[in-house]
């Protein structure tokens, strides 16, 4: 097949294309040269970049920011309106404030000297009974005084009203019979001394806020001892033991129900201090030997049966019991400043309580309620309730005095 020959228009078209292609080639060459020159300029500006350096645009942005940064003229201080307004009142005539003379200070040298002398005399005569206990952390010698101060606060907070028996169906004699029986139960179960005192406290505090019928009084008593045993004992008696000791007068369910009732009424507050806690502290302060301490415990347990002692704080009963015990053993015994300091009671304050105790001691041999007296007549308690000093003239004189 023969090729067709191009006409004149084809020659012109080819010539135009050659011209355009030559122009484009020159433009491209010129553009490349300009681009390479610009790249060399930027490269010289940025410098050489290491292989592991930052490859982000931070440097470029810094350069652009530096190029756009403008130097701002410093701003001068401008007088504010407040400053100008102050200048306007400088010329006003203001009367000067008259200076008031302060009164001359009182001469307190005599008072301070008297207080200092009193404190020195007081602390010189008070022995530090905890000075040798710093090596034993269980004795808490650093803050034992603060502990007993807090205990005195608690005993006043949980103080029982002295007239609560007026709202009860039961009588004082019924309470005495119950406490005498609880002492025997406590001895039968071989419980701690704290358990007995806490039992009577729970009993009195519950009777203060809840009326109890006669046929439920023994139930309240055994339940109070159950709660106290759970609070104090490592191995408290079981509920079945209390059912047995009451000769099946109450069931386990009744005891559990009464337990919940007592705890709700007392709001689960069982931390009222006991007489035995304060007696141990007082015996240490007075240097009491074992017979004096045991006699004081006997006197305190005698007061548990007496409703008239509900009005006194446990710390008062403990101090009075130790003071009377010391006087029975030693008639010329003195309630010294150390005992006054640690017991927080003077001998004059304790005399009315000791008079009531002396009357209880004098009436104990002929009383129908002999649980406490028989308990302390055993050799375990040094036959303390049978000593001849309980019939001494000191006890007789105190018992004959009017409270």
């Amino acid at each position: 097949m023969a090729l067709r020959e191009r006409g004149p228009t084809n020659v012109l078209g080819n010539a135009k294309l050659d011209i355009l292609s030559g122009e484009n080639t020159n433009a491209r060459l010129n553009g490349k040269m300009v681009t390479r020159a610009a790249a060399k300029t930027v490269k010289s500006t940025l410098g050489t970049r290491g292989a592991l350096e930052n490859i982000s645009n931070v440097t470029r942005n810094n350069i652009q920011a530096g190029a756009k940064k403008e130097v701002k003229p410093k701003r001068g201080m401008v007088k504010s309106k407040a400053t100008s307004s102050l200048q306007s009142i400088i010329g006003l005539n203001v009367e000067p404030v008259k200076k008031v003379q302060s009164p001359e200070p009182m001469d307190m040298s005599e008072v301070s000297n008297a207080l200092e002398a009193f404190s020195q005399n007081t602390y010189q005569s008070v022995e530090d009974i905890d000075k040798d206990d710093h090596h034993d952390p269980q004795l808490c010698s650093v803050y034992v005084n603060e502990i007993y101060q807090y205990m005195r606060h608690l005993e006043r907070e949980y103080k029982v009203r002295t007239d609560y028996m007026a709202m009860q169906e039961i009588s004082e004699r019924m309470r005495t019979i119950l406490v005498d029986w609880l002492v025997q139960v406590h001895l039968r179960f071989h419980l701690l001394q704290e358990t007995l005192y806490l039992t009577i406290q729970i009993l009195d505090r519950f009777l203060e806020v809840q009326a109890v019928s006669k046929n439920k009084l023994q139930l309240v008593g055994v339940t109070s001892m159950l709660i106290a045993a759970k609070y104090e004992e490592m191995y408290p008696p079981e509920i079945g033991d209390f059912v047995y000791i009451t000769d099946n007068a109450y069931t386990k369910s009744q005891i559990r129900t009464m337990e919940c009732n007592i705890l709700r009424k007392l709001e689960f507050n069982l931390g009222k201090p006991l007489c035995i806690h304060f007696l141990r502290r007082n015996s240490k302060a007075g240097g009491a030997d074992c017979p004096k301490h045991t006699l004081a415990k006997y006197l305190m347990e005698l007061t548990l049966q007496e409703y008239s002692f509900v009005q006194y704080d446990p710390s008062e009963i403990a101090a009075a019991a130790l003071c009377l015990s010391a006087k029975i053993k030693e008639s010329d015994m003195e309630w010294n400043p150390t005992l006054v300091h640690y017991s927080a009671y003077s001998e004059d304050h304790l005399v009315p309580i000791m008079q009531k105790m002396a009357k209880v001691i004098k009436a104990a041999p002929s009383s129908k309620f002999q649980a406490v007296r028989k308990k302390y007549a055993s050799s375990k308690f040094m036959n303390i309730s049978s000593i001849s000093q309980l019939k001494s003239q000191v006890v007789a004189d105190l018992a004959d005095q009017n409270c």
Side-chain angles (χ1 to χ4, degrees):
M1 185 175 180
L3 294 175
R4 293 178 61 184
E5 294 182 1
R6 295 180 180 273
T9 55
N10 293 333
V11 176
L12 291 173
N14 293 332
K16 289 179 179 180
L17 289 174
D18 293 337
I19 295 170
L20 290 173
S21 62
E23 292 177 356
N24 293 336
T25 301
N26 295 332
R28 286 195 297 271
L29 290 174
N30 294 333
K32 289 181 179 180
M33 294 175 65
V34 172
T35 304
R36 289 175 181 175
K40 289 181 179 180
T41 306
V42 173
K43 186 175 182 181
S44 62
T45 306
L46 295 175
T48 305
R49 182 169 57 192
L52 298 178
E53 290 184 358
N54 188 11
I55 60 174
S56 63
N57 296 328
V58 176
T59 308
R60 183 180 302 173
N61 295 337
N62 292 338
I63 294 172
Q64 293 176 358
K68 295 180 182 180
K69 187 175 181 180
E70 296 180 1
V71 180
K72 296 182 179 180
K74 294 184 178 179
R75 186 177 179 182
M77 296 180 64
V78 181
K79 184 183 293 184
S80 63
K81 294 182 179 180
T83 307
S84 59
S85 61
L86 287 174
Q87 296 292 337
S88 61
I89 63 172
I90 290 177
L92 296 178
N93 295 326
V94 181
E95 296 182 359
V97 180
K98 295 181 179 180
K99 186 177 181 180
V100 181
Q101 296 182 354
S102 59
E104 295 181 359
M106 295 178 60
D107 187 10
M108 299 293 293
S109 59
E110 296 182 0
V111 178
S112 60
N113 292 336
L115 291 175
E116 184 178 358
F118 175 77
S119 60
Q120 288 179 356
N121 293 334
T122 302
Y123 284 103
Q124 284 176 359
S125 57
V126 173
E127 179 186 358
D128 184 9
I129 63 175
D130 305 309
K131 61 182 179 181
D132 298 329
D133 299 335
H134 297 295
H135 65 282
D136 192 348
Q138 293 184 348
L139 296 178
C140 305
S141 60
V142 178
Y143 41 83
V144 63
N145 293 322
E146 286 77 9
I147 292 176
Y148 276 90
Q149 185 178 359
Y150 178 65
M151 290 169 63
R152 291 187 182 91
H153 166 73
L154 288 180
E155 68 177 355
R156 290 176 177 85
E157 182 178 353
Y158 299 129
K159 192 177 183 66
V160 180
R161 296 197 322 269
T162 58
D163 59 342
Y164 79 81
M165 197 63 71
M167 60 172 285
Q168 292 291 342
E169 179 183 345
I170 62 175
S171 62
E172 297 181 16
R173 180 177 173 81
M174 293 179 183
R175 178 190 177 278
T176 303
I177 295 173
L178 176 64
V179 173
D180 187 77
W181 177 75
L182 288 174
V183 171
Q184 300 177 48
V185 174
H186 172 268
L187 190 62
R188 176 79 176 272
F189 285 155
H190 304 284
L191 301 177
L192 297 174
Q193 298 175 357
E194 290 85 351
T195 304
L196 177 61
Y197 288 101
L198 184 58
T199 299
I200 308 305
Q201 281 194 3
I202 293 173
L203 173 66
D204 287 328
R205 290 177 61 196
F206 181 72
L207 294 178
E208 179 189 15
V209 296
Q210 179 66 46
V212 177
S213 60
K214 296 178 181 179
N215 58 349
K216 296 293 184 182
L217 181 60
Q218 189 180 16
L219 175 61
V220 174
V222 294
T223 308
S224 298
M225 182 166 285
L226 172 64
I227 296 172
K230 287 182 177 181
Y231 191 87
E232 295 288 353
E233 303 288 337
M234 185 175 294
Y235 301 104
E238 298 180 358
I239 298 181
D241 298 330
F242 289 101
V243 174
Y244 172 78
I245 208 69
T246 58
D247 196 17
N248 296 316
Y250 308 102
T251 62
K252 292 182 179 180
S253 177
Q254 288 178 309
I255 295 177
R256 290 193 185 97
T257 303
M258 181 58 69
E259 180 183 9
C260 296
N261 191 16
I262 291 175
L263 291 174
R264 280 196 297 266
K265 288 295 182 179
L266 300 185
E267 298 179 350
F268 292 84
N269 293 321
L270 305 176
K272 182 179 179 180
L274 309 175
C275 296
I276 192 67
H277 296 154
F278 294 101
L279 179 63
R280 289 168 181 158
R281 183 69 170 170
N282 297 339
S283 296
K284 183 178 181 179
D289 55 9
C290 189
K292 289 181 183 177
H293 183 75
T294 306
L295 179 56
K297 289 196 298 182
Y298 170 61
L299 299 180
M300 289 194 309
E301 287 198 28
L302 284 177
T303 64
L304 292 179
Q305 301 176 357
E306 302 297 326
Y307 174 71
S308 59
F309 283 87
V310 173
Q311 59 181 312
Y312 299 112
D313 293 328
S315 60
E316 290 180 303
I317 296 176
L322 182 62
C323 185
L324 182 56
S325 171
K327 287 185 176 297
I328 292 174
K329 288 291 185 178
E330 301 174 8
S331 58
D332 58 345
M333 178 268 176
E334 180 184 359
W335 193 253
N336 57 40
T338 302
L339 285 168
V340 173
H341 175 74
Y342 287 102
S343 68
Y345 300 108
S346 63
E347 185 175 352
D348 293 337
H349 179 85
L350 300 176
V351 167
I353 308 176
M354 289 191 293
Q355 291 172 355
K356 288 186 177 182
M357 286 184 177
K359 291 181 178 181
V360 175
I361 294 172
K362 189 175 180 179
S366 59
S367 175
K368 294 182 179 180
F369 310 106
Q370 295 289 318
V372 176
R373 190 166 178 268
K374 290 181 179 180
K375 173 183 175 180
Y376 279 88
S378 63
S379 58
K380 179 182 178 180
F381 297 100
M382 306 176 64
N383 307 104
I384 205 69
S385 63
S386 303
I387 60 175
S388 59
Q389 289 95 327
L390 292 176
K391 300 178 182 179
S392 63
Q393 192 63 33
V394 174
V395 177
D397 292 342
L398 285 172
D400 293 338
Q401 295 177 7
N402 294 325
C403 300

